[in-house]
Amino acid sequence: MTKKVLVLPGDGIGPEIIAQATKVLDYLNASLSLGLEFTRALVGGASIDEAGVPLTDQTLDLAKQSDAILLGAVGGTKWDTLDMAIRPEKGLLGLRSGLELFANLRPAILYPQLAEASSLRPEIVAGLDILIVRELTGGIYFGQPRGIQPLEDGSREGFNTYRYSESEIRRIGRIAFESARKRNNQVCSVDKANVLEVTVLWREVMDQLAPEYPDVTLSHMYVDNAAMQLVKAPKQFDVIVTGNMFGDILSDEAAMLTGSIGMLPSASLNSSGQGMYEPCHGSAPDIAGQDLANPLATILSAAMMLRYSLQQEEAAQRIEKAVSKVLDQGYRTADIVGSGDITKVGTNAMGDAVLAALKSA
Ligand code: NAD
């Protein structure tokens, strides 16, 4: 059966890194007869230049009709002076809300070959493999009422509302349990149930879901402890599920454990399994067009796309093994050079090395 993939290269290094990921996908599509059909469109600054807006209705429609979207990155100094409402980043927000992408999946994987890139001791982080599942469209970032208002004494107060409905908690919980089944069958739900009623409900709903997944072990942790445990003993975690704000903070903390932003993929999913896949980093205008960007985060995002939206687990694993192999072979882009017997390569050569590793597997 044909599956539709919308490719949105975006701005800055976006087109360069996407070219490496599509190289890998084209090969797997042909050799494993995956039946993938690719369409390309503009987003972000590239779309502003062409159509005056960061996301056109046509591109949003194409996205809605696709099974998955592979995105490079958006943004750059050229568009920084534009009005907030039509900045490149609004294109991403438009895609997230238009497709109701409520679940953000961010793996923090530290390949043993890159252990010295972390600021933590290698024995604490080598082999780290955590998946953070963050609720993306609710919680305190979106809760109403919100605002800044005057007080009777002439000063002002600011306020936000932290709310989650049972159905919002249940749907993100299900994503976490299902994801754990594709990994090591452990979910740690992170909350602040000792202080916040909304997370008392969060904990109750997670407990209600657990019996539906008897093969998965559920544990709970307060967010302050989770922040500490992530730097003390991060390898204790498999899947962490949490709300929007806690997830925002913990996923950045976990990403930094790996020490290399050029290696980190991400996925944002909706309830029908449709997803948008992109590297965690931005468009890196400082190195754009110089064949310096690390394409591995984007190539690994393509692997996540095959796993979570296209049901091609074998192809996903083949990509991940190929990435591990090129690291074993010593290939490094400038951001992950480190010491030892390595071969420094550019964006294109790194893509070629992954392709060669796939072909020789
Ligand atoms: P950035 O992630 O683009 O860059 C931060 C630093 O990391 C830079 O020094 C860059 O050279 C380096 N870097 C990033 N990706 C790399 C890669 N693959 N290989 C090697 N080095 C890499 O963040 P920034 O500089 O804060 O933002 C630049 C632009 O990207 C801004 O316009 C910002 O709004 C946008 N942005 C977009 C996204 C997105 O598209 N999802 C996310 C974050 C930032």
Side-chain angles (χ1 to χ4, degrees), residues 11-17 73 75-77 260-263 279 281-298 333-336 344-348:
D11 311 316
I13 59 170
E16 298 167 62
I17 52 180
T77 43
S260 178
I261 194 157
M263 295 295 301
H281 58 74
S283 58
D286 53 329
I287 57 168
Q290 300 171 44
D291 196 39
L292 283 175
N294 184 347
L296 294 180
T298 314
T333 43
D335 57 311
I336 51 170
K344 199 169 157 191
V345 290
T347 311
N348 201 40

mmCIF file of all heavy atoms in Angstrom, residues 11-17 73 75-77 260-263 279 281-298 333-336 344-348:
data_model
loop_
_atom_site.group_PDB
_atom_site.id
_atom_site.type_symbol
_atom_site.label_atom_id
_atom_site.label_comp_id
_atom_site.label_asym_id
_atom_site.label_seq_id
_atom_site.Cartn_x
_atom_site.Cartn_y
_atom_site.Cartn_z
ATOM 1 N N ASP A 11 14.709 26.052 5.696
ATOM 2 C CA ASP A 11 15.721 27.103 5.499
ATOM 3 C C ASP A 11 17.090 26.678 6.032
ATOM 4 O O ASP A 11 17.228 25.663 6.700
ATOM 5 C CB ASP A 11 15.288 28.368 6.252
ATOM 6 C CG ASP A 11 13.858 28.745 5.962
ATOM 7 O OD1 ASP A 11 13.477 28.696 4.775
ATOM 8 O OD2 ASP A 11 13.121 29.068 6.913
ATOM 9 N N GLY A 12 18.082 27.570 5.783
ATOM 10 C CA GLY A 12 19.425 27.366 6.347
ATOM 11 C C GLY A 12 19.994 26.024 5.927
ATOM 12 O O GLY A 12 20.018 25.676 4.744
ATOM 13 N N ILE A 13 20.417 25.216 6.912
ATOM 14 C CA ILE A 13 20.976 23.897 6.598
ATOM 15 C C ILE A 13 19.885 22.892 6.209
ATOM 16 O O ILE A 13 20.202 21.764 5.812
ATOM 17 C CB ILE A 13 21.808 23.315 7.779
ATOM 18 C CG1 ILE A 13 20.947 23.185 9.042
ATOM 19 C CG2 ILE A 13 23.047 24.150 8.036
ATOM 20 C CD1 ILE A 13 21.620 22.411 10.173
ATOM 21 N N GLY A 14 18.609 23.290 6.358
ATOM 22 C CA GLY A 14 17.487 22.369 6.090
ATOM 23 C C GLY A 14 17.633 21.586 4.791
ATOM 24 O O GLY A 14 17.644 20.338 4.804
ATOM 25 N N PRO A 15 17.779 22.278 3.638
ATOM 26 C CA PRO A 15 17.881 21.535 2.373
ATOM 27 C C PRO A 15 19.075 20.573 2.327
ATOM 28 O O PRO A 15 18.972 19.485 1.759
ATOM 29 C CB PRO A 15 18.034 22.656 1.334
ATOM 30 C CG PRO A 15 17.384 23.854 1.971
ATOM 31 C CD PRO A 15 17.676 23.736 3.436
ATOM 32 N N GLU A 16 20.205 20.958 2.953
ATOM 33 C CA GLU A 16 21.404 20.092 2.913
ATOM 34 C C GLU A 16 21.200 18.802 3.710
ATOM 35 O O GLU A 16 21.586 17.712 3.273
ATOM 36 C CB GLU A 16 22.607 20.817 3.526
ATOM 37 C CG GLU A 16 23.030 22.089 2.821
ATOM 38 C CD GLU A 16 24.004 22.890 3.699
ATOM 39 O OE1 GLU A 16 25.093 22.396 4.016
ATOM 40 O OE2 GLU A 16 23.646 24.028 4.067
ATOM 41 N N ILE A 17 20.606 18.933 4.895
ATOM 42 C CA ILE A 17 20.444 17.745 5.740
ATOM 43 C C ILE A 17 19.302 16.862 5.236
ATOM 44 O O ILE A 17 19.390 15.638 5.293
ATOM 45 C CB ILE A 17 20.252 18.134 7.230
ATOM 46 C CG1 ILE A 17 19.137 19.165 7.398
ATOM 47 C CG2 ILE A 17 21.562 18.640 7.827
ATOM 48 C CD1 ILE A 17 18.872 19.602 8.838
ATOM 49 N N ALA A 73 14.525 22.367 8.874
ATOM 50 C CA ALA A 73 14.465 23.376 9.938
ATOM 51 C C ALA A 73 14.036 24.683 9.286
ATOM 52 O O ALA A 73 14.170 24.838 8.069
ATOM 53 C CB ALA A 73 15.826 23.528 10.596
ATOM 54 N N GLY A 75 13.823 29.197 9.620
ATOM 55 C CA GLY A 75 14.294 30.416 10.275
ATOM 56 C C GLY A 75 15.647 30.887 9.772
ATOM 57 O O GLY A 75 16.378 30.148 9.129
ATOM 58 N N GLY A 76 15.932 32.151 10.085
ATOM 59 C CA GLY A 76 17.207 32.738 9.681
ATOM 60 C C GLY A 76 17.135 34.244 9.819
ATOM 61 O O GLY A 76 16.039 34.820 9.876
ATOM 62 N N THR A 77 18.313 34.862 9.883
ATOM 63 C CA THR A 77 18.373 36.310 10.142
ATOM 64 C C THR A 77 17.604 37.122 9.099
ATOM 65 O O THR A 77 17.047 38.166 9.415
ATOM 66 C CB THR A 77 19.843 36.788 10.161
ATOM 67 O OG1 THR A 77 20.520 36.169 9.069
ATOM 68 C CG2 THR A 77 20.537 36.379 11.442
ATOM 69 N N SER A 260 25.516 16.571 21.996
ATOM 70 C CA SER A 260 25.588 16.910 20.579
ATOM 71 C C SER A 260 24.214 17.078 19.956
ATOM 72 O O SER A 260 23.509 16.112 19.702
ATOM 73 C CB SER A 260 26.351 15.826 19.827
ATOM 74 O OG SER A 260 26.346 16.193 18.467
ATOM 75 N N ILE A 261 23.884 18.323 19.683
ATOM 76 C CA ILE A 261 22.563 18.637 19.137
ATOM 77 C C ILE A 261 22.399 18.095 17.717
ATOM 78 O O ILE A 261 21.287 17.802 17.264
ATOM 79 C CB ILE A 261 22.331 20.159 19.207
ATOM 80 C CG1 ILE A 261 20.859 20.490 18.986
ATOM 81 C CG2 ILE A 261 23.213 20.923 18.238
ATOM 82 C CD1 ILE A 261 20.440 21.809 19.555
ATOM 83 N N GLY A 262 23.493 17.891 17.017
ATOM 84 C CA GLY A 262 23.419 17.400 15.639
ATOM 85 C C GLY A 262 23.040 15.930 15.520
ATOM 86 O O GLY A 262 22.937 15.393 14.419
ATOM 87 N N MET A 263 22.854 15.255 16.674
ATOM 88 C CA MET A 263 22.549 13.817 16.665
ATOM 89 C C MET A 263 21.108 13.506 17.067
ATOM 90 O O MET A 263 20.725 12.343 17.091
ATOM 91 C CB MET A 263 23.468 13.092 17.671
ATOM 92 C CG MET A 263 24.935 13.120 17.354
ATOM 93 S SD MET A 263 25.354 12.233 15.858
ATOM 94 C CE MET A 263 24.753 10.585 16.232
ATOM 95 N N PRO A 279 14.823 17.176 13.014
ATOM 96 C CA PRO A 279 15.911 17.195 14.000
ATOM 97 C C PRO A 279 15.567 18.189 15.113
ATOM 98 O O PRO A 279 14.772 19.100 14.892
ATOM 99 C CB PRO A 279 17.108 17.681 13.181
ATOM 100 C CG PRO A 279 16.518 18.446 12.044
ATOM 101 C CD PRO A 279 15.212 17.770 11.725
ATOM 102 N N HIS A 281 17.550 20.372 16.346
ATOM 103 C CA HIS A 281 18.236 21.653 16.186
ATOM 104 C C HIS A 281 17.508 22.571 15.215
ATOM 105 O O HIS A 281 16.551 22.158 14.547
ATOM 106 C CB HIS A 281 19.672 21.422 15.718
ATOM 107 C CG HIS A 281 19.770 20.653 14.433
ATOM 108 N ND1 HIS A 281 19.459 21.203 13.220
ATOM 109 C CD2 HIS A 281 20.147 19.367 14.189
ATOM 110 C CE1 HIS A 281 19.648 20.291 12.272
ATOM 111 N NE2 HIS A 281 20.057 19.168 12.828
ATOM 112 N N GLY A 282 17.993 23.826 15.106
ATOM 113 C CA GLY A 282 17.396 24.798 14.204
ATOM 114 C C GLY A 282 18.091 24.817 12.852
ATOM 115 O O GLY A 282 18.755 23.839 12.468
ATOM 116 N N SER A 283 17.966 25.945 12.150
ATOM 117 C CA SER A 283 18.438 26.023 10.763
ATOM 118 C C SER A 283 19.909 26.415 10.661
ATOM 119 O O SER A 283 20.444 26.527 9.557
ATOM 120 C CB SER A 283 17.586 27.025 9.990
ATOM 121 O OG SER A 283 17.653 28.284 10.634
ATOM 122 N N ALA A 284 20.560 26.623 11.807
ATOM 123 C CA ALA A 284 22.015 26.890 11.864
ATOM 124 C C ALA A 284 22.508 27.804 10.751
ATOM 125 O O ALA A 284 23.367 27.396 9.956
ATOM 126 C CB ALA A 284 22.789 25.567 11.880
ATOM 127 N N PRO A 285 22.012 29.042 10.667
ATOM 128 C CA PRO A 285 22.421 29.920 9.561
ATOM 129 C C PRO A 285 23.932 30.154 9.523
ATOM 130 O O PRO A 285 24.492 30.401 8.444
ATOM 131 C CB PRO A 285 21.695 31.238 9.863
ATOM 132 C CG PRO A 285 20.758 30.987 10.976
ATOM 133 C CD PRO A 285 21.073 29.673 11.599
ATOM 134 N N ASP A 286 24.605 30.016 10.693
ATOM 135 C CA ASP A 286 26.054 30.270 10.733
ATOM 136 C C ASP A 286 26.864 29.272 9.910
ATOM 137 O O ASP A 286 27.991 29.556 9.509
ATOM 138 C CB ASP A 286 26.551 30.299 12.206
ATOM 139 C CG ASP A 286 26.161 29.050 12.996
ATOM 140 O OD1 ASP A 286 25.101 28.462 12.693
ATOM 141 O OD2 ASP A 286 26.908 28.658 13.905
ATOM 142 N N ILE A 287 26.299 28.091 9.645
ATOM 143 C CA ILE A 287 27.068 27.100 8.874
ATOM 144 C C ILE A 287 26.347 26.679 7.588
ATOM 145 O O ILE A 287 26.798 25.769 6.887
ATOM 146 C CB ILE A 287 27.403 25.846 9.725
ATOM 147 C CG1 ILE A 287 26.120 25.200 10.284
ATOM 148 C CG2 ILE A 287 28.376 26.176 10.846
ATOM 149 C CD1 ILE A 287 26.375 23.803 10.870
ATOM 150 N N ALA A 288 25.233 27.344 7.291
ATOM 151 C CA ALA A 288 24.430 26.939 6.119
ATOM 152 C C ALA A 288 25.222 27.076 4.824
ATOM 153 O O ALA A 288 26.005 28.012 4.661
ATOM 154 C CB ALA A 288 23.157 27.773 6.051
ATOM 155 N N GLY A 289 25.035 26.131 3.928
ATOM 156 C CA GLY A 289 25.646 26.186 2.593
ATOM 157 C C GLY A 289 27.133 25.889 2.575
ATOM 158 O O GLY A 289 27.796 26.076 1.570
ATOM 159 N N GLN A 290 27.682 25.396 3.696
ATOM 160 C CA GLN A 290 29.139 25.165 3.754
ATOM 161 C C GLN A 290 29.512 23.687 3.873
ATOM 162 O O GLN A 290 30.647 23.351 4.177
ATOM 163 C CB GLN A 290 29.728 25.928 4.943
ATOM 164 C CG GLN A 290 29.501 27.431 4.873
ATOM 165 C CD GLN A 290 29.909 28.122 6.178
ATOM 166 O OE1 GLN A 290 30.953 27.838 6.753
ATOM 167 N NE2 GLN A 290 29.057 29.013 6.659
ATOM 168 N N ASP A 291 28.523 22.814 3.724
ATOM 169 C CA ASP A 291 28.763 21.373 3.837
ATOM 170 C C ASP A 291 29.358 21.003 5.212
ATOM 171 O O ASP A 291 30.196 20.128 5.331
ATOM 172 C CB ASP A 291 29.702 20.898 2.710
ATOM 173 C CG ASP A 291 29.674 19.375 2.527
ATOM 174 O OD1 ASP A 291 28.584 18.788 2.626
ATOM 175 O OD2 ASP A 291 30.754 18.778 2.320
ATOM 176 N N LEU A 292 28.894 21.728 6.245
ATOM 177 C CA LEU A 292 29.426 21.492 7.598
ATOM 178 C C LEU A 292 28.413 20.823 8.529
ATOM 179 O O LEU A 292 28.773 20.266 9.563
ATOM 180 C CB LEU A 292 29.826 22.835 8.247
ATOM 181 C CG LEU A 292 31.137 23.466 7.788
ATOM 182 C CD1 LEU A 292 31.309 24.844 8.434
ATOM 183 C CD2 LEU A 292 32.317 22.562 8.141
ATOM 184 N N ALA A 293 27.110 20.901 8.185
ATOM 185 C CA ALA A 293 26.074 20.430 9.115
ATOM 186 C C ALA A 293 26.101 18.917 9.276
ATOM 187 O O ALA A 293 26.351 18.177 8.325
ATOM 188 C CB ALA A 293 24.706 20.862 8.602
ATOM 189 N N ASN A 294 25.812 18.481 10.485
ATOM 190 C CA ASN A 294 25.682 17.056 10.769
ATOM 191 C C ASN A 294 24.281 16.602 10.315
ATOM 192 O O ASN A 294 23.285 17.084 10.849
ATOM 193 C CB ASN A 294 25.853 16.847 12.278
ATOM 194 C CG ASN A 294 25.839 15.388 12.666
ATOM 195 O OD1 ASN A 294 25.461 14.539 11.867
ATOM 196 N ND2 ASN A 294 26.245 15.102 13.885
ATOM 197 N N PRO A 295 24.200 15.681 9.370
ATOM 198 C CA PRO A 295 22.870 15.260 8.890
ATOM 199 C C PRO A 295 22.267 14.105 9.697
ATOM 200 O O PRO A 295 21.165 13.648 9.403
ATOM 201 C CB PRO A 295 23.176 14.799 7.460
ATOM 202 C CG PRO A 295 24.558 14.225 7.556
ATOM 203 C CD PRO A 295 25.283 15.022 8.618
ATOM 204 N N LEU A 296 22.990 13.617 10.729
ATOM 205 C CA LEU A 296 22.543 12.381 11.384
ATOM 206 C C LEU A 296 21.229 12.557 12.148
ATOM 207 O O LEU A 296 20.401 11.647 12.175
ATOM 208 C CB LEU A 296 23.643 11.829 12.299
ATOM 209 C CG LEU A 296 24.910 11.352 11.561
ATOM 210 C CD1 LEU A 296 25.945 10.823 12.544
ATOM 211 C CD2 LEU A 296 24.589 10.269 10.525
ATOM 212 N N ALA A 297 20.996 13.746 12.759
ATOM 213 C CA ALA A 297 19.718 13.952 13.463
ATOM 214 C C ALA A 297 18.554 13.826 12.488
ATOM 215 O O ALA A 297 17.495 13.282 12.832
ATOM 216 C CB ALA A 297 19.707 15.324 14.137
ATOM 217 N N THR A 298 18.743 14.307 11.273
ATOM 218 C CA THR A 298 17.670 14.250 10.274
ATOM 219 C C THR A 298 17.507 12.827 9.746
ATOM 220 O O THR A 298 16.387 12.347 9.549
ATOM 221 C CB THR A 298 17.980 15.227 9.119
ATOM 222 O OG1 THR A 298 18.384 16.456 9.688
ATOM 223 C CG2 THR A 298 16.762 15.450 8.254
ATOM 224 N N THR A 333 31.341 14.542 11.679
ATOM 225 C CA THR A 333 31.215 15.925 11.207
ATOM 226 C C THR A 333 31.847 16.831 12.270
ATOM 227 O O THR A 333 32.125 16.385 13.388
ATOM 228 C CB THR A 333 29.734 16.303 10.991
ATOM 229 O OG1 THR A 333 28.973 15.793 12.082
ATOM 230 C CG2 THR A 333 29.207 15.747 9.683
ATOM 231 N N ALA A 334 32.041 18.117 11.915
ATOM 232 C CA ALA A 334 32.822 19.015 12.778
ATOM 233 C C ALA A 334 32.270 19.120 14.207
ATOM 234 O O ALA A 334 33.031 19.268 15.164
ATOM 235 C CB ALA A 334 32.863 20.401 12.141
ATOM 236 N N ASP A 335 30.938 19.017 14.362
ATOM 237 C CA ASP A 335 30.332 19.198 15.696
ATOM 238 C C ASP A 335 30.602 18.019 16.630
ATOM 239 O O ASP A 335 30.401 18.139 17.833
ATOM 240 C CB ASP A 335 28.815 19.411 15.549
ATOM 241 C CG ASP A 335 28.144 18.256 14.813
ATOM 242 O OD1 ASP A 335 28.648 17.862 13.742
ATOM 243 O OD2 ASP A 335 27.131 17.750 15.319
ATOM 244 N N ILE A 336 31.027 16.857 16.107
ATOM 245 C CA ILE A 336 31.224 15.687 16.980
ATOM 246 C C ILE A 336 32.641 15.120 16.864
ATOM 247 O O ILE A 336 32.858 13.944 17.143
ATOM 248 C CB ILE A 336 30.174 14.574 16.680
ATOM 249 C CG1 ILE A 336 30.117 14.242 15.175
ATOM 250 C CG2 ILE A 336 28.808 14.933 17.201
ATOM 251 C CD1 ILE A 336 29.286 12.997 14.842
ATOM 252 N N LYS A 344 37.318 13.209 9.534
ATOM 253 C CA LYS A 344 36.402 14.346 9.527
ATOM 254 C C LYS A 344 35.744 14.448 8.148
ATOM 255 O O LYS A 344 36.443 14.441 7.125
ATOM 256 C CB LYS A 344 37.184 15.622 9.843
ATOM 257 C CG LYS A 344 36.279 16.741 10.305
ATOM 258 C CD LYS A 344 37.110 17.884 10.857
ATOM 259 C CE LYS A 344 36.327 19.173 10.792
ATOM 260 N NZ LYS A 344 37.121 20.338 11.070
ATOM 261 N N VAL A 345 34.416 14.514 8.149
ATOM 262 C CA VAL A 345 33.692 14.581 6.867
ATOM 263 C C VAL A 345 32.675 15.716 6.890
ATOM 264 O O VAL A 345 32.298 16.222 7.954
ATOM 265 C CB VAL A 345 32.941 13.251 6.557
ATOM 266 C CG1 VAL A 345 33.893 12.133 6.243
ATOM 267 C CG2 VAL A 345 32.004 12.874 7.702
ATOM 268 N N GLY A 346 32.217 16.092 5.693
ATOM 269 C CA GLY A 346 31.176 17.104 5.567
ATOM 270 C C GLY A 346 29.792 16.456 5.524
ATOM 271 O O GLY A 346 29.657 15.230 5.639
ATOM 272 N N THR A 347 28.779 17.296 5.324
ATOM 273 C CA THR A 347 27.383 16.842 5.327
ATOM 274 C C THR A 347 27.154 15.742 4.289
ATOM 275 O O THR A 347 26.596 14.680 4.599
ATOM 276 C CB THR A 347 26.470 18.044 4.984
ATOM 277 O OG1 THR A 347 26.849 19.149 5.801
ATOM 278 C CG2 THR A 347 25.013 17.712 5.217
ATOM 279 N N ASN A 348 27.580 16.030 3.067
ATOM 280 C CA ASN A 348 27.315 15.127 1.966
ATOM 281 C C ASN A 348 28.037 13.788 2.138
ATOM 282 O O ASN A 348 27.454 12.718 1.942
ATOM 283 C CB ASN A 348 27.768 15.839 0.675
ATOM 284 C CG ASN A 348 27.101 15.262 -0.535
ATOM 285 O OD1 ASN A 348 25.912 14.937 -0.516
ATOM 286 N ND2 ASN A 348 27.868 15.093 -1.589
#
